[in-house]
Amino acid sequence: MLKSKTFVKKTRSGGIMKIVREHYLRDDIWCGSEVCTECKQESTVLQRDACIESDLCCFPHYLIPDTNVVLHQIDVLEDPLIRNVVILQTVLQEVRHRSAPIYKRLKDILHEQEKHFYTFTNEHHRETFIEREPGESANDRNDRAIRVAVKWYSHHLEKGGSDGPKAVLITNDQGNKEKAEESDLLVYKCEEYIKSLIANPELVDRLALANDEKNDISSSKVLFPEHFPLSRIQVGIKSGTFLQGTFRASRDNYLEATVFVQGEGEDSTEVLLQGLQNLNRAIHQDVVAVQLLPREQWLAPSSVVLHDEREAKDEDATEEEEKEKAMKNIADDAARKPTGRVVGIIKRNWRPFCGMLNSSLIKESTRHLFTPADRRVPRIRIETRQASALASQRIMVAIDGWPRHSRYPNGHFVRSLGAAGDKETETEVLLLEHDVPHQDFSQAVLSFLPKMPWSITPEDMAVRQDLRALTVCSVDPPGCTDIDDALHCRTLENGNLEVGVHIADVSHFIRPGNALDLEASNRGTTVYLCGKRIDMVPELLSSNLCSLRSNVERLAFSCIWEMNNKADIVKTRFTKSVINSKASLTYAEAQLRIDDTTMNDDITNSLRGLNKLAKILKRQRIEKGALTLSSLEVRFHIDSETHDPIDLQTKELMETNSMVEEFMLLANISVAQKIYDEFSECALLRKHPAPPPSNYDILTKAAKSKGLAIHTDSAKALADSLDVAKVDGFPYFNTLLRILATRCMMQAVYFCSGMDSDFHHYGLASPIYTHFTSPIRRYSDIIVHRLLAVAIGADSTYPDLTDKHKQSALCNNLNYRHKMSQYAQRASVAFHTQLFFKSRGILNEEGFILFVRKNAIIVLIPKFGLEGTVFFDSKDKTGPKLVFDEEGPTLMVEQHTFKIFDKVKVTISLDDSNVQHQKIRMSLVDPVIPGVSVPVTEVEPPAKKPKLDC
């Protein structure tokens, strides 16, 4: 049966286009039920005995939710208890248009066989399709289509017998419910149905609050300005009255945030927000509209560290107002920044948040505050009847809304993750909080792996260069199983040297567009945690077939140079190859070979040749202005049985670390130039933007405090300044200065060459750069391999590879995944640091002040690579007198003045008195300040930067 609709449309050029839309209807669409005798279905999804114990429905039944139930109660639908559900095509299409994340979650549920969710294509069934009536809204038409489908199911299932399952419509729309009841349909509101389920209190907690319920949890006093409607916001943005940007909450001050407003080129700006009313219920990463305040009301960013630890009282804002007054910086015009207020939310970035429950002090209360693990997210008010059971658990909570008269947003319980402090639980939390995909690889993904046993075929050998005879070896950290790269160096007959970098040919195994490729592109990167690795590709590839292990034949992509003894490149070539690594060495093992004068085998001589050239290459890079910065990286020694950290020390770098890095950098630069020459519009490159001058303020002030000048006009000027920055009797000063310089840097990012004109890599002082050398752990390198393979005629292209817009979208995802993986790694180090200090008691250690704030100093402990904030503020009037000088910056506490780089002594211990939030305690020992009690502080590892971007 065919339905068609014809209409005409005016084109941009003024012409008339006739459009005919055809809609096919069928009468052979299955209902999906085991009890059905009418449908000639090959398989069924809905069970005959579809019983869920309920006070309302004591008979077998199938649930049919409407669109709003799916959109707002997806957490309930995901619960294992909810089975035998019919998802109508009408609902599926509406959800797809209104929320991509919810649509993906719904599709995942539909693919779970044990859930027995069935999609019924009611829009193409002859008996359930309906036309939209004159004057009927699209929403009303869809509600009617849902009711018609439920009625069809009710009559259809009755044919299987009166004792068979019944169709139950679940809705939260009162009007829809009333119309369904008029049609004699079995219908319940979602809340009343869930509350009727016997002995399942957790599922009731997972109910999202409906709009008419939100007022119940809040006070009647209006605390926030009203958000403008979207129509007014759009007009305001178009006229320039409002600015659109991404809301970024501060980790250190819950009363402060910035809004990043993207502009053309270097015209991007940041708008400062201070105070609860100006933040106006925005949450970290929301897209918001802001209105700039008059210039005379502009402020400087606050140096006060504030965490929201007050009791939940909506009515009393006095304490907050006092804090807002205390944090306002009355600064000169140069320090002031554009300051504004949030006037509306354009796009919410709400997600389920991990954290812990703060039980209410009121006995028998079901209303409690939830504290997210991420300090940038406000506390969330939820209702739960199982607070005592959840008190020591890590849980997930979703936000439902944030009314104007509520100090905190309202939300609902999603699920428990496990006991706080448990290694598995805490790892799960940090992976979820940093949006790291870590689920097992699906069967669809695994189906594209090579069948074992695998071997290199004659066809592979025919199109590759045979380099198995070369003395190739790999040099990696201890315990490395995903070996991406290997090297060789040999002397040619003409006296020059041949140097090869051989990279695992992952793109041979991962072909464009299949499920394995899509999964790798979504994950973007392998994430390395303490004692755990979240692979980008399945282990069969990462640790076996692609890993360049010793004494096995492996497929590689080789970059080979001919160099003279001054490391000048005479010739460069790229080839697909087959290699057989002669040794898999650690950095220490390779260093021992180089240093041992009694060893003169081929592998050792190759390493010495590589090391000699690497030193020349490094010197040449530094002469061009490449930066040599510093960051403290820590290594844990893990107990083999308990998997607890038993030792913690900063990593020591050897010459062989630098040797490998230099040739990885050279390969990346050589490949970048090649793919750009061939694909000027769609090459995937990597750039490192130069920091804006203001980023260097803290560095120049720190150097000035020691009577030194740091020049930041260019990367070379900065590098030269750092080289000569020394203080007599303070050997660690230069390292501290380089650590501080690292904090001034911008993040390196991937980009598509056709979408940007600035290719320069500031840190490496290179005009062009990419990533080629780690395709096992970075998806960017797989794309670069494909581009290079096409460039040398070793593989064929495909549409997405040369589409600059799709390449640009891919780069955005890769940049996001890379950033979040770095944050996850830092969080893992922080957690394992807590485990390390748990059994160490109290340790006294020396440290150096890295930053000075209005009410705190931030101390670096070099031995452990730790940073901690030591607060001096007091909640009573008898506390220490604090005098902050921003120019220094210095902080005077009583009679003692703290400056950047001052040496201090602190005690470090674990404070586990609060099971909900264990912290490392850092207390000041030297200098001693009479009458000052230093509170518990939060300690974390320093912001880790890669040694080099290779």
Side-chain angles (χ1 to χ4, degrees), residues 452-713:
M452 298 300 286
W454 174 87
S455 62
I456 299 172
T457 65
E459 291 78 15
D460 292 329
M461 294 298 300
V463 295
R464 293 173 180 269
Q465 186 172 356
D466 188 350
L467 302 180
R468 290 175 292 180
L470 291 178
T471 306
V472 174
C473 67
S474 61
V475 184
D476 291 284
C480 179
T481 60
D482 53 344
I483 303 173
D484 286 288
D485 54 88
L487 305 101
H488 88 271
C489 177
R490 64 173 178 169
T491 304
L492 300 175
E493 291 181 0
N494 62 5
N496 286 340
L497 297 167
E498 180 187 86
V499 177
V501 167
H502 311 278
I503 305 300
D505 190 3
V506 182
S507 62
H508 172 84
F509 298 96
I510 301 180
R511 303 308 297 166
N514 65 27
L516 178 56
D517 182 48
L518 295 175
E519 181 67 23
S521 68
N522 177 49
R523 294 190 178 213
T525 181
T526 293
V527 181
Y528 295 89
L529 307 179
C530 298
K532 187 181 181 73
R533 187 180 78 204
I534 311 297
D535 281 326
M536 182 185 77
V537 297
E539 190 175 13
L540 178 63
L541 296 182
S542 65
S543 295
N544 188 349
L545 301 185
C546 290
S547 183
L548 304 182
R549 301 185 299 185
S550 56
N551 302 315
V552 290
E553 295 179 357
R554 287 291 179 257
L555 303 179
F557 210 151
S558 300
C559 175
I560 300 172
W561 305 275
E562 182 181 335
M563 293 180 172
N564 60 26
N565 288 308
K566 295 181 180 179
D568 298 321
I569 296 174
V570 177
K571 188 190 301 181
T572 305
R573 65 187 178 93
F574 307 97
T575 180
K576 293 265 188 166
S577 61
V578 179
I579 66 168
N580 188 322
S581 174
K582 302 301 183 284
S584 299
L585 305 173
T586 65
Y587 290 118
E589 289 169 346
Q591 191 67 53
L592 284 172
R593 281 177 173 267
I594 292 171
D595 296 339
D596 189 346
T597 56
T598 64
M599 297 187 73
N600 288 291
D601 57 276
D602 289 345
I603 294 173
T604 303
N605 289 332
S606 177
L607 289 169
R608 287 180 182 139
L610 290 166
N611 197 41
K612 180 180 176 183
L613 290 171
K615 290 177 180 178
I616 300 171
L617 290 170
K618 185 172 184 178
R619 187 175 67 247
Q620 290 173 349
R621 279 195 314 107
I622 291 172
E623 287 172 356
K624 291 177 183 176
L627 296 174
T628 304
L629 301 178
S630 182
S631 64
L632 295 177
E633 293 185 58
V634 297
R635 179 184 297 280
F636 290 96
H637 294 278
I638 305 293
D639 186 282
S640 58
E641 293 183 4
T642 64
H643 301 291
D644 287 337
I646 55 177
D647 195 12
L648 169 65
Q649 56 189 212
T650 53
K651 296 180 183 177
E652 292 184 16
L653 301 182
M654 305 176 185
E655 278 187 2
T656 45
N657 290 81
S658 179
M659 176 190 78
V660 173
E661 286 168 354
E662 288 304 321
F663 286 107
M664 297 305 110
L665 293 174
L666 187 60
N668 288 335
I669 292 169
S670 299
V671 171
Q673 192 61 58
K674 178 66 176 178
I675 63 174
Y676 178 65
D677 290 343
E678 294 289 332
F679 302 101
S680 60
E681 286 294 301
C682 59
L684 192 154
L685 302 176
R686 188 165 172 82
K687 68 175 181 177
H688 183 211
S694 59
N695 277 31
Y696 289 119
D697 288 350
I698 187 66
L699 179 66
T700 53
K701 284 181 180 179
K704 188 179 178 181
S705 70
K706 298 294 183 182
L708 299 171
I710 297 292
H711 302 288
T712 59
D713 304 335

Side-chain angles (χ1 to χ4, degrees), residues 876-938:
D876 56 51
K877 296 180 180 179
T878 62
K881 181 181 179 183
L882 306 179
V883 180
F884 178 69
D885 178 10
E886 194 166 4
E887 187 60 31
T890 62
L891 176 64
M892 182 180 286
V893 183
E894 296 298 341
Q895 300 302 314
H896 187 87
T897 301
F898 291 96
K899 305 185 296 295
I900 291 179
F901 299 150
D902 279 359
K903 183 184 284 190
V904 294
K905 183 174 279 189
V906 296
T907 62
I908 307 172
S909 61
L910 181 69
D911 175 25
D912 56 2
S913 59
N914 183 351
V915 69
Q916 297 197 29
H917 198 180
Q918 295 187 13
K919 297 179 182 179
I920 289 180
R921 178 190 292 270
M922 186 182 287
S923 300
L924 198 61
V925 175
D926 185 21
V928 177
I929 303 175
V932 174
S933 175
V934 183
V936 173
T937 66
E938 186 140 331

Side-chain angles (χ1 to χ4, degrees), residues 683-819:
L684 192 154
L685 302 176
R686 188 165 172 82
K687 68 175 181 177
H688 183 211
S694 59
N695 277 31
Y696 289 119
D697 288 350
I698 187 66
L699 179 66
T700 53
K701 284 181 180 179
K704 188 179 178 181
S705 70
K706 298 294 183 182
L708 299 171
I710 297 292
H711 302 288
T712 59
D713 304 335
S714 66
K716 181 161 178 54
L718 175 60
D720 291 344
S721 297
L722 291 172
D723 285 342
V724 298
K726 295 185 172 82
V727 174
D728 292 338
F730 192 175
Y732 200 66
F733 171 76
N734 191 263
T735 301
L736 286 171
L737 209 59
R738 291 180 189 273
I739 290 173
L740 214 52
T742 303
R743 311 299 175 85
C744 303
M745 295 297 113
M746 303 289 283
Q747 185 77 39
V749 292
Y750 298 108
F751 70 101
C752 176
S753 59
M755 305 292 282
D756 206 325
S757 58
D758 178 19
F759 293 6
H760 189 72
H761 197 294
Y762 180 81
L764 299 175
S766 177
I768 193 167
Y769 192 67
T770 193
H771 272 164
F772 164 76
T773 53
S774 296
I776 293 177
R777 62 184 178 90
R778 290 189 305 233
Y779 187 76
S780 56
D781 302 52
I782 293 178
I783 295 296
V784 170
H785 277 226
R786 290 173 180 170
L787 289 166
L788 182 61
V790 175
I792 66 173
D795 206 344
S796 56
T797 187
Y798 57 98
D800 285 4
L801 190 66
T802 54
D803 186 325
K804 66 180 182 181
H805 297 288
K806 289 189 176 178
Q807 286 281 50
S808 184
L810 173 63
C811 288
N812 290 338
N813 180 61
L814 295 179
N815 291 330
Y816 171 73
R817 293 296 188 199
H818 182 71
K819 178 178 67 175

Side-chain angles (χ1 to χ4, degrees), residues 204-216:
V204 175
D205 290 347
R206 297 179 75 172
L207 280 168
L209 292 174
N211 289 331
D212 57 353
E213 292 176 315
K214 290 175 182 173
N215 294 338
D216 295 342

Side-chain angles (χ1 to χ4, degrees), residues 201 205 357 365-368 382-387 390 413:
D205 290 347
L357 196 68
S365 174
T366 60
R367 298 172 182 177
H368 309 274
I382 69 168
E383 283 202 25
T384 178
R385 294 156 184 79
Q386 46 182 336
L390 298 177
F413 169 77

